[in-house]
Amino acid sequence: MIKDIYLERLPKDFMWGVATASHQIEGNTLNNWTQWEKDTANERAKKLPSWYKLPKALEQLAHNPELRVSGKACGSLELWKKDIEIMKELNLNSYRFSIEWSRVMPRKDFFDKEAVDYYRSLIKELKKNGIEPMVTCWHWTIPVWLAEEGGILSKNFVKQFSKYVQYIVENLAEDVKYWITINEPDAVSTMSYLLGTFPPQERSLIKYFKSHFVVMVNAHRKAYEIIKSNDKDSYVSIAKNFILFKPSKSSFVNKIVSGIADFFHNTLMMNRISKYLDYIGVNYYFDWEIGVHGISVGKGKLTDFGFPMKPYSMKRVLKNLKKYKLPIIITESGVPDYQDKYRSFWIEENIKAIADAIKSGMDVRGYMHWSLLDNFEWAEGYWPEFGLVDVNWKTLERKIKSSGYSYANIINAFNKFVKKN
Ligand code: BGC
């Protein structure tokens, strides 16, 4: 169990939460992923990335094309009250979730009132239960009509995104203080236009740059202005993915390579939007060694994705953000761990990293663990398990895992500590 010396460093109103995304949990969404998932399921299930070192049981699941299609996901569109009950059981006081753009604007220039009513009920119920909502406007999925016009690279993307944000702000902002405009502009641009693993599966350096450093930047700035002009006290950011790049073997060339990767993945976007942020939303998953020979995973334990299991490295990621002089909220951090063997360790090390970063002068205000439920993990489908709660894909029954209880115990210990002092 985590010691008081760590807990005492956290602010008394620390946000203890979890994060999810609409397409990954709601079920039956109709967006740019829906058809693509069906069209490419076989091909994706056939060829697994070479760096995966999956145990037999997981390898079988990864090769099953049926698990590569989102379908009913976790059924949270119906089961959201159950999800809130679970959050209460886990002692959480915050919840980051996203609004499904394709539900709110299923057709061009048409806003679906019922879709927004659903999110309003969700927000009200959270507040009634003492859980602070943090709303992500966009977590990667695009309405079909806009995808047909070119998606992120359509000349209308920023305009349509702004209309959508305006509408949800008008309808939901009275109960929402914390906003994320865009989830991981870096990852969605890289996967869609550089690595070609997300729809529309293109590989073009020019398109990647345009998506990441032009469209995403403009979309964020516009959304920031819309949210702030409605309520200047709202608290707005993006959820930015940060990777800790370390030179593999400390040669001069490797240092340069690692510096370049750090600049393009971590810094450039931050510099372009730092005047349009009230805090920094940090998503942390990886600590990578990089050099002229590419990325290596270094020594030590690996996650189910074959990536280094380095939860404490979050501390260095946080400290690297000192220059922006902004408060920080961890908007995601988690581990694919189907046996739930390392998740409790991951959470404890994350909290220690946060406490140590605070000790060295950083202003960290919250932690949203990824994720509440085992959910639909994009191109990988259902086999990677990130949840504090297990979901039975047939019955949609939820069962809190042992790591869920460890997280709840940490929060409980913190609450007791705060009461006592
Ligand atoms: C994304 C999530 C995803 C998680 C785990 C993050 O980059 O925001 O949607 O499920 O990573 O891979």
Side-chain angles (χ1 to χ4, degrees):
M1 184 54 167
I2 196 157
K3 295 202 179 89
D4 280 359
I5 51 153
Y6 294 106
L7 297 179
E8 72 187 14
R9 294 182 198 149
L10 307 179
K12 292 198 166 43
D13 54 356
F14 193 72
M15 296 172 78
W16 296 98
V18 284
T20 63
S22 54
H23 186 68
Q24 295 180 268
I25 64 162
E26 287 182 356
N28 301 320
T29 44
L30 178 58
N31 55 43
N32 63 323
W33 278 74
T34 319
Q35 193 55 41
W36 180 86
E37 284 163 16
K38 291 179 193 149
D39 292 346
T40 59
N42 282 326
E43 182 197 327
R44 281 181 290 128
K46 215 179 280 167
K47 201 166 157 257
L48 305 183
S50 56
W51 60 85
Y52 284 177
K53 300 204 173 41
L54 303 180
K56 268 270 159 303
L58 217 52
E59 197 176 314
Q60 235 174 11
L61 297 180
H63 278 301
N64 180 351
E66 282 170 32
L67 297 179
R68 300 291 182 125
V69 178
S70 56
K72 57 186 175 177
C74 307
S76 289
L77 198 66
E78 260 95 54
L79 298 173
W80 56 280
K81 284 201 176 160
K82 177 77 205 155
D83 292 347
I84 296 179
E85 275 169 32
I86 295 173
M87 289 178 220
K88 287 291 285 178
E89 214 175 320
L90 296 180
N91 300 327
L92 304 176
N93 65 14
S94 317
Y95 177 44
R96 174 182 168 224
F97 63 93
S98 75
I99 297 187
E100 179 59 34
W101 186 358
S102 65
R103 282 196 207 283
V104 176
M105 287 179 84
R107 298 191 293 282
K108 193 170 185 173
D109 297 325
F110 171 78
F111 296 94
D112 187 335
K113 194 177 158 307
E114 244 178 64
V116 171
D117 288 346
Y118 163 75
Y119 294 106
R120 187 180 296 110
S121 310
L122 171 65
I123 290 167
K124 297 257 183 231
E125 187 73 13
L126 286 167
K127 293 214 102 165
K128 207 168 89 192
N129 282 283
I131 299 172
E132 184 72 42
M134 174 183 271
V135 171
T136 308
C137 299
W138 186 56
H139 201 123
W140 296 352
T141 43
I142 303 171
V144 174
W145 55 267
L146 184 55
E148 282 167 358
E149 285 181 19
I152 297 177
L153 297 181
S154 145
K155 63 178 188 324
N156 288 323
F157 185 89
V158 177
K159 186 169 131 210
Q160 294 298 345
F161 181 61
S162 306
K163 278 193 195 173
Y164 156 71
V165 173
Q166 179 74 43
Y167 186 76
I168 56 176
V169 164
E170 275 164 17
N171 281 278
L172 303 174
E174 65 172 12
D175 286 313
V176 180
K177 176 175 177 196
Y178 294 91
W179 293 87
I180 295 288
T181 58
I182 297 176
N183 178 70
E184 296 191 355
D186 34 74
V188 73
S189 302
T190 306
M191 310 289 211
S192 308
Y193 296 109
L194 193 62
L195 302 180
T197 49
F198 281 10
Q201 282 196 290
E202 298 192 17
R203 298 185 74 172
S204 149
L205 204 54
I206 294 177
K207 288 184 178 178
Y208 158 75
F209 270 102
K210 188 170 174 206
S211 163
H212 193 173
F213 300 114
V214 181
V215 183
M216 291 294 120
V217 168
N218 291 338
H220 168 72
R221 289 181 181 173
K222 278 266 189 252
Y224 179 88
E225 279 164 357
I226 292 167
I227 301 168
K228 295 297 276 192
S229 67
N230 175 73
D231 175 6
K232 66 173 180 17
D233 294 328
S234 50
Y235 218 51
V236 189
S237 186
I238 59 168
K240 168 88 189 80
N241 177 289
F242 290 99
I243 298 176
L244 182 70
F245 291 105
K246 298 179 300 194
S248 47
K249 300 198 195 104
S250 58
S251 76
F252 178 69
V253 208
N254 287 349
K255 272 190 192 146
I256 305 248
V257 174
S258 140
I260 293 173
D262 179 63
F263 177 74
F264 282 107
H265 188 82
N266 297 327
T267 311
L268 181 55
M269 181 72 176
M270 284 300 294
N271 292 349
R272 307 259 293 131
I273 60 166
S274 62
K275 290 200 180 73
Y276 298 78
L277 296 175
D278 300 319
Y279 65 100
I280 307 173
V282 170
N283 286 8
Y284 169 76
Y285 290 92
F286 315 125
D287 161 331
W288 272 345
E289 292 185 11
I290 189 166
V292 271
H293 300 298
I295 290 167
S296 72
V297 292
K299 292 196 190 82
K301 273 195 209 85
L302 301 180
T303 71
D304 289 349
F305 272 168
F307 293 154
M309 175 104 56
K310 298 276 176 58
Y312 188 77
S313 294
M314 182 196 272
K315 181 184 169 196
R316 274 177 65 189
V317 167
L318 296 175
K319 285 186 70 181
N320 288 345
L321 298 172
K322 201 164 197 146
K323 55 179 176 289
Y324 298 105
K325 298 195 176 73
L326 283 167
I328 294 172
I329 296 175
I330 312 304
T331 37
E332 279 181 36
S333 179
V335 58
D337 172 22
Y338 86 112
Q339 289 179 308
D340 199 36
K341 212 163 142 189
Y342 302 108
R343 191 168 290 103
S344 304
F345 158 78
W346 181 280
I347 295 173
E348 272 199 25
E349 291 297 295
N350 274 177
I351 302 300
K352 285 182 191 165
I354 293 171
D356 286 347
I358 292 177
K359 193 175 172 211
S360 61
M362 303 302 297
D363 177 4
V364 190
R365 302 187 181 178
Y367 175 74
M368 309 289 141
H369 185 76
W370 184 272
S371 182
L372 176 66
L373 308 168
D374 285 339
N375 59 40
F376 181 70
E377 176 56 28
W378 304 108
E380 272 72 33
Y382 283 109
W383 64 265
E385 298 195 350
F386 277 90
L388 295 166
V389 177
D390 173 78
V391 176
N392 177 317
W393 303 124
K394 295 208 172 87
T395 62
L396 300 181
E397 196 190 326
R398 281 110 159 102
K399 199 165 164 249
I400 300 180
K401 299 179 191 176
S402 130
S403 57
Y405 290 112
S406 345
Y407 188 30
N409 286 341
I410 294 179
I411 304 172
N412 191 30
F414 174 79
N415 290 341
K416 276 193 183 148
F417 179 84
V418 168
K419 227 184 205 164
K420 217 166 59 196
N421 292 277

